[in-house]
Amino acid sequence: MAQNLQAPWSVAFYKDTVLVSERDSGRILELDDQRPAQAREVATVAGVSASGEGGLLGLSVHGDSLYAYSTTETDNRIQRFPLKHGSDGVELGAPETIVDGIAKADFHNGGRLAFCPDGKLYATVGDAGNRSAAQDRESFSGSILRMNPDGSVPDDNPFDGSLVYTYGHRNPQGLAWGEDGTMYASEFGQDTWDELNIIEAGGNYGWPEVEGISKGPAPDADLIDPVQQWSPDQASPSGMAISEGTLFIANLRGQVLRTVALSDVAEADVSYAGQFGRLRDVVRTPSGEVWVLTNNTDGRGDPAAADDRILHIPADVGAD
């Protein structure tokens, strides 16, 4: 569907227009469905400071606004841009910063943005290398945030006056919702276990006290275990999407597309092992197709010809 992208990170849709973020360049690209091998630069987000895993990360669209999560010299932040169709394609207006002061580092910046069916914006935030901050509800680090579209705190958030929806995360990077409203998140572990979690409002997911499923008595009975775990060399789960009762998870180090039937979230299948290299994001298009974003030009992969690419895959991958 597209090729020759440089360190792409996220795919979003403005009506039928495809938008892609490039982590290192800070560019937002518009893909031309008539010329899929080419992309048009919509804008370069000002102030992006790309270092390590930081840069221009997640995108999400809500109405006529584009939301972008990015790393600057001083912090991670979420900005909102007015969107419209112009004579040459999509146009972005001046940004409004709706959340800033999120701790940054070369690693563990989180960065995924997604709107839930309830109309709220969710953002994944890594621990920025400060393990203890993930257990501090006064800190955004190591959490999943929930906010109104203007960045304000919803009245029904679990902690009064706080954007923090869940905490105790190391570096969550994928978000998706089932038709029944169940919320799922993927998370990078450290040395032992990556995780697939079912997200509950106010939940503590254990990092750094626990990594993966607790063995024996938990340090705290209130900590929530993942429903699946994988070794980091087989997984490193990033973006994910749900289509027709199946959860699709893009895996970086594991270089696989992992599929989980929502009827049995304790089991998974893998497809395309090593075929396309590192996979950063997977999305369901407005027309119901499933697309996968490769990530071989980010400095950790082995780029093939025309990398990085967006690939259209069969929606029944992983089905029996």
Side-chain angles (χ1 to χ4, degrees):
M1 306 306 298
Q3 57 190 22
N4 297 314
L5 304 171
Q6 297 301 308
W9 210 91
S10 180
V11 179
F13 299 90
Y14 177 45
K15 300 175 183 177
D16 291 328
T17 299
V18 185
L19 300 173
V20 181
S21 62
E22 287 188 334
R23 186 193 67 187
D24 296 345
S25 69
R27 298 193 305 168
I28 296 173
L29 304 178
E30 174 187 352
L31 302 187
D32 186 339
D33 59 3
Q34 301 302 313
R35 293 176 296 169
Q38 301 183 32
R40 168 183 168 267
E41 181 178 332
V42 176
T44 298
V45 176
V48 170
S49 177
S51 176
E53 296 172 356
L56 179 59
L57 305 178
L59 302 179
S60 190
V61 172
H62 184 66
D64 290 320
S65 295
L66 173 70
Y67 293 77
Y69 186 115
S70 64
T71 311
T72 74
E73 288 286 348
T74 58
D75 64 0
N76 285 301
R77 60 185 56 184
I78 302 170
Q79 293 177 295
R80 177 172 63 176
F81 299 79
L83 269 177
K84 68 178 182 179
H85 283 291
S87 57
D88 295 326
V90 170
E91 297 177 357
L92 259 61
E96 173 192 5
T97 299
I98 62 170
V99 179
D100 57 9
I102 301 170
K104 60 158 281 189
D106 282 347
F107 306 101
H108 309 175
N109 290 291
R112 190 69 57 192
L113 296 178
F115 273 90
C116 174
D118 68 6
K120 307 302 184 187
L121 175 62
Y122 291 73
T124 68
V125 180
D127 69 6
N130 182 357
R131 296 159 56 107
S132 63
Q135 288 295 319
D136 180 2
R137 294 208 311 263
E138 299 300 314
S139 169
F140 288 155
S141 296
S143 68
I144 295 175
L145 307 181
R146 178 178 184 260
M147 66 198 75
N148 295 315
D150 64 358
S152 61
V153 178
D155 292 338
D156 59 347
N157 265 15
F159 308 114
D160 289 344
S162 175
L163 295 177
V164 173
Y165 191 69
T166 60
Y167 63 107
H169 300 283
R170 180 175 180 269
N171 194 21
Q173 282 207 359
L175 294 172
W177 287 264
E179 289 187 0
D180 63 357
T182 301
M183 180 179 174
Y184 302 87
S186 61
E187 182 166 337
F188 292 161
Q190 184 171 348
D191 301 317
T192 310
W193 298 117
D194 293 335
E195 299 178 356
L196 172 64
N197 287 296
I198 291 178
I199 298 301
E200 302 174 14
N204 181 353
Y205 287 80
W207 177 255
E209 303 301 324
V210 176
E211 182 181 353
I213 298 171
S214 303
K215 303 298 183 183
D220 185 330
D222 292 332
L223 302 183
I224 300 175
D225 273 347
V227 294
Q228 277 201 58
Q229 61 185 21
W230 314 285
S231 63
D233 62 335
Q234 296 177 348
S236 298
S238 189
M240 61 189 196
I242 290 174
S243 179
E244 303 297 329
T246 298
L247 177 62
F248 297 84
I249 309 171
N251 289 254
L252 291 160
R253 285 182 64 189
Q255 299 189 13
V256 297
L257 180 67
R258 202 173 302 271
T259 54
V260 177
L262 297 186
S263 58
D264 184 4
V265 295
E267 298 294 332
D269 291 310
V270 298
S271 301
Y272 307 119
Q275 188 171 345
F276 303 119
R278 293 162 55 83
L279 305 180
R280 171 65 72 180
D281 199 10
V282 57
V283 295
R284 187 177 187 272
T285 74
S287 63
E289 297 175 347
V290 178
W291 290 3
V292 174
L293 178 65
T294 71
N295 207 194
N296 297 310
T297 59
D298 69 344
R300 295 182 176 180
D302 184 14
D307 269 342
D308 272 307
R309 297 171 283 171
I310 296 177
L311 308 169
H312 173 203
I313 65 166
D316 60 354
V317 165
D320 293 334

